[in-house]
Amino acid sequence: MSFFKEECPITITSTAIEHIRTILQEKSINTNLYGLRVGVKGGGCGGASPLLGFDTVKENDHCYILKDFSVIVEKKHLMYVLGLEIDYEDNGEIKGFVFNNPNEKVVV
């Protein structure tokens, strides 16, 4: 089953944390039941796309406490999110969470 780890493999900027907290409050999401799931979906020719949302902990998940909410990463996704930085941008052209890694920049 899942367990809490000490060091989160991803970084979430203060701007992204503020936006996550706003969503948690506006949607009345119970942080005792739900955490921020970070992972990837897809694959194949187009590569993997980032996954971000609120979810409950499932078997094979790793959980990390980051500020006042938990971050959930499925064990098989760890290698894809290791070193990932999640930011939030709202500058006219880009509005949303931005995934920064050494290889690419993705906005969702």
Side-chain angles (χ1 to χ4, degrees):
M1 189 66 176
S2 62
F3 55 96
F4 285 92
K5 300 282 191 176
E6 287 188 26
E7 189 173 331
C8 190
I10 63 169
T11 303
I12 303 177
T13 67
S14 58
T15 304
I17 288 173
E18 288 177 32
H19 195 72
I20 291 165
R21 285 182 179 148
T22 299
I23 294 169
L24 289 167
Q25 184 177 14
E26 287 177 355
K27 303 290 184 182
S28 300
I29 297 172
N30 184 340
T31 56
N32 291 323
L33 299 175
Y34 295 93
L36 181 69
R37 180 169 295 280
V38 180
V40 294
K41 62 181 175 180
C45 295
S49 299
L51 172 73
L52 186 67
F54 296 102
D55 199 3
T56 57
V57 177
K58 296 175 178 55
E59 193 171 344
N60 295 320
D61 283 344
H62 287 219
C63 299
Y64 308 89
I65 298 297
L66 187 66
K67 304 293 181 183
D68 51 355
F69 56 88
S70 60
V71 175
I72 304 166
V73 180
E74 189 174 349
K75 185 178 179 179
K76 67 181 181 181
H77 293 188
L78 282 171
M79 64 186 246
Y80 299 105
V81 302
L82 187 63
L84 183 71
E85 178 192 69
I86 299 174
D87 194 7
Y88 186 83
E89 292 185 17
D90 184 0
N91 64 15
E93 290 182 29
I94 297 175
K95 182 175 183 176
F97 289 99
V98 178
F99 295 76
N100 298 307
N101 70 37
N103 301 317
E104 61 185 302
K105 184 175 184 176
V106 180
V107 179
V108 294

